[in-house]
Each structure stands twice: as C-alpha cells, then as structure tokens.
Amino acid sequence: FGQVVAQCPSHANFQEHLQVLIARLTEAVYVNICRGLFKKDKSIFSLLIAVQILRQCKSIAEAEWNFLLRAGVLVKAEDEANCPVAWLDPKKWGLLCALERAVPAFAGTCKDVTERPKIWQEWVERRAYSNDLPMPGPDLDAGDEDDLLAKVGDDVWAGLKEESGLDAKPRRAQFAAMFAKLTEEGRFSAMATIADSCFPGTVGSKLYGLSHFQRILLIKCCRPPHVVFSVTDFVKYDLGPRFIDPPPFDLEGSTADA
C-alpha cells in the first residue's frame, strides 16, 4: 500500500488523484494475489474484485449476487413442471421464473418468452457465444420484415442516426446486424437508446437497460455454457482488459515488493 501511494503521481485535482490511486491499488492487489494462484483461479479472483467494487457502489444488488451464487435453491418445482414452451428445458424455465421473482429488472420476462417464442428460441439455442440479448420488437413471424419499424417515425429515427450509424430505417436483418455490431463494440447504452425509442415500454426493449452483471444472470438461466465467457466480458468492461489476462510471474517485481 505504501509503495503504491509513494509511486502514484500527484494531481492538482484531489478527486482525480484519488481515482488514479484507487485504480493503481486495485491493480497492485490483483497482480500480487495472482502470484499465488493457479491460472484457473485468476479469473474467479478478477470477478470477485469487480463484484465487490460494484457492491460497495450499490451497482450490484445483494439479490443479484445471491442469484448468481445460489440460483438453484430459488427454483420452484411447480415452475419446472409447468413450462409453457416445448422447446425450452424446464430447468431453464424454472430459473427464469426464479430470476423474475428475485430481481425486479427482469419483471415480465417469462411472459415475454411466451409472447415472442421464436425470438427467444433463436437466442437460447444459439451455440456460438455473443454478449447480446434477444432482439427487441415483434416475434419473427409477426408480419413482413419491412414492417418492423413501421410505427417508428422518420423524425424519431433521424434522432438515432448517431447511435445506429444508419440514415434510413433498417429492415429486420439490417436491424439485427446493427445490434450485433454495437454489441461487439460494447456500445450498450446506444442499443438501450435505440430499443427504447423504437419499442417503448416493451420487455424486449427494457432488457437492453440491463447492467453487464444482470446479463450474466440471464445467460446463466438460458445459456449456462456461456457463463464463463459472459463473466470475462463483464470483467473486461468494468475493470479493464488487464484484469482478464493473468499477469506472468515477475521475479524481479515480486522481489521488489517483498
């Protein structure tokens, strides 16, 4: 701690100096502890650092953290026994019901699955990992794809030009490609703005207001093999890429710290 404080460059602005100091202390703790961890445990340690910081800031609710750790005990047998969609594993349906009860941000999600089954099925059964969400808007067979944004005024879309990067309102395939590109770029706030402007008040649009950590919870319910990748993305966006690449052992640095 003393070494980090002594080596931290001074700033005229106290708050700026404090933020730099906190960032350096966080990284120093990560690097030093990682020296005594196996590679497979370093990603878990990164997750714990990110979660603890956000819990202290009240950005992660206790109910959300508890769901990630103990989701199975929150599932009710009657939910699994009464799964309303044939393509979804009853265990996943039970987890979705438990998530909706535990975390207010997911209110209406189960109903949305039954009302837009094709969009949800396509997302749940996707094998390749991507940090995306089920597309907003009507289900895949609800009218012609050109009608996707028929109710969105040209003036509204003009206001979304900067976020979308498109001059004209897109067809469904273009809309999906645009969201995939924004996801890859990590522009989650832009997607939330577009979804809320095009489909205001719908569950499909509200999902795009989820935090990075809340996305992990949804993926845990519906695409459990992808949780590890989602956690990696969460750490990368909230702490930075340095916390997802375990530092190599540095004998000189370790000796200096000792």
Side-chain angles (χ1 to χ4, degrees), residues 51-202:
V51 167
Q52 283 300 104
I53 291 173
L54 293 176
R55 287 175 70 193
Q56 290 294 322
C57 298
K58 306 299 182 184
S59 297
I60 292 179
E62 288 303 305
E64 296 171 2
W65 178 233
N66 287 332
F67 187 88
L68 181 65
L69 298 179
R70 309 178 184 90
V73 301
L74 302 176
V75 175
K76 294 182 179 180
E78 54 266 33
D79 290 333
E80 294 184 352
N82 295 291
C83 180
V85 282
W87 53 265
L88 186 63
D89 186 330
K91 292 183 178 179
K92 293 180 179 180
W93 176 256
L95 284 169
L96 274 175
C97 294
L99 179 60
E100 184 173 324
R101 287 192 297 268
V103 182
F106 292 95
T109 300
C110 293
K111 183 180 179 182
D112 192 55
V113 172
T114 62
E115 293 179 344
R116 302 191 305 143
K118 292 189 176 180
I119 283 181
W120 276 93
Q121 182 178 8
E122 188 277 331
W123 181 77
V124 170
E125 295 180 351
R126 194 177 305 166
R127 294 187 177 183
Y129 169 73
S130 61
N131 194 24
D132 63 350
L133 293 168
M135 289 296 298
D139 208 9
L140 295 177
D141 60 351
D144 187 81
E145 65 171 17
D146 290 330
D147 295 331
L148 177 65
L149 301 180
K151 296 181 180 180
V152 180
D154 292 335
D155 56 333
V156 173
W157 187 257
L160 298 172
K161 181 178 179 180
E162 182 177 351
E163 287 85 356
S164 66
L166 300 175
D167 293 326
K169 290 188 293 185
R171 301 174 67 184
R172 185 185 291 274
Q174 295 171 313
F175 192 82
M178 174 190 68
F179 265 54
K181 182 174 183 293
L182 293 174
T183 298
E184 185 177 346
E185 296 172 352
R187 297 176 59 192
F188 301 109
S189 60
M191 287 189 288
T193 300
I194 294 172
D196 188 58
S197 299
C198 294
F199 309 103
T202 62

Side-chain angles (χ1 to χ4, degrees), residues 64 67-68 99 103 213-221:
E64 296 171 2
F67 187 88
L68 181 65
L99 179 60
V103 182
F213 187 79
Q214 289 169 338
R215 286 178 178 233
I216 297 176
L217 304 184
L218 188 60
I219 288 175
K220 176 182 176 67
C221 295

